[in-house]
Amino acid sequence: MLELTMASVSEADTGATAGMLMADAPSEPGTMLRVGRDRGVCRLVTPDDWLFVSRVHLEFLCGPDGSWQVTWLRGSAADPSSQVSMSIGNQAPQPLAYGGTAPLPRGGSGEIIVRDRTAPRSVNVGFYHEG
């Protein structure tokens, strides 16, 4: 099972917890959870006017062995308008490359942060991957 929580934070909302969204999915091969602006395909959706987030920005995919990975999907722009970093447990956040994929540890938790490059806004996605 993969559990996700998402908070959209702007400078005006710093410290607020309203607007938290949650999603979960069983660890079955091929299961997918997406984060982005497109309500038609994403389980966790950011505000429509947050254009630094792609229609489908992050994709969580369960592999054949029940392990999960996250991919920052490449959009139509060669240079993204956001930065994505990921921390696992208590580790310092590490950048996730545009178009890059990273495994999520079994029995572990962490956070993926999508930051707007032009304004003090971010999308914080916490995860927990049951062991």
Side-chain angles (χ1 to χ4, degrees):
M1 173 81 66
L2 179 70
E3 298 173 358
L4 301 177
T5 57
M6 184 186 83
S8 301
V9 181
S10 67
E11 185 176 40
D13 299 329
T14 301
T17 55
M20 294 278 288
L21 301 173
M22 294 188 286
D24 61 20
S27 292
E28 297 173 0
T31 301
M32 188 179 309
L33 288 170
R34 292 181 176 140
V35 176
R37 291 189 342 263
D38 188 335
R39 296 182 189 288
V41 295
C42 296
R43 291 272 304 272
L44 296 176
V45 181
T46 63
D48 291 336
D49 61 341
W50 284 31
L51 301 180
F52 72 99
V53 177
S54 302
R55 285 183 52 251
V56 181
H57 203 88
L58 300 173
E59 182 175 84
F60 294 83
L61 178 65
C62 184
D65 61 353
S67 64
W68 285 86
Q69 65 182 29
V70 60
T71 301
W72 178 10
L73 299 174
R74 290 187 71 85
S76 57
D79 190 26
S81 53
S82 64
Q83 296 173 315
V84 176
S85 61
M86 180 171 137
S87 63
I88 297 173
N90 294 327
Q91 295 176 346
Q94 300 295 313
L96 181 60
Y98 186 42
T101 298
L104 303 182
R106 285 183 185 265
S109 63
E111 183 176 44
I112 298 165
I113 303 168
V114 180
R115 284 192 173 87
D116 188 342
R117 288 183 172 190
T118 63
R121 302 184 288 189
S122 67
V123 176
N124 299 35
V125 180
F127 65 85
Y128 175 71
H129 181 201
E130 288 183 0

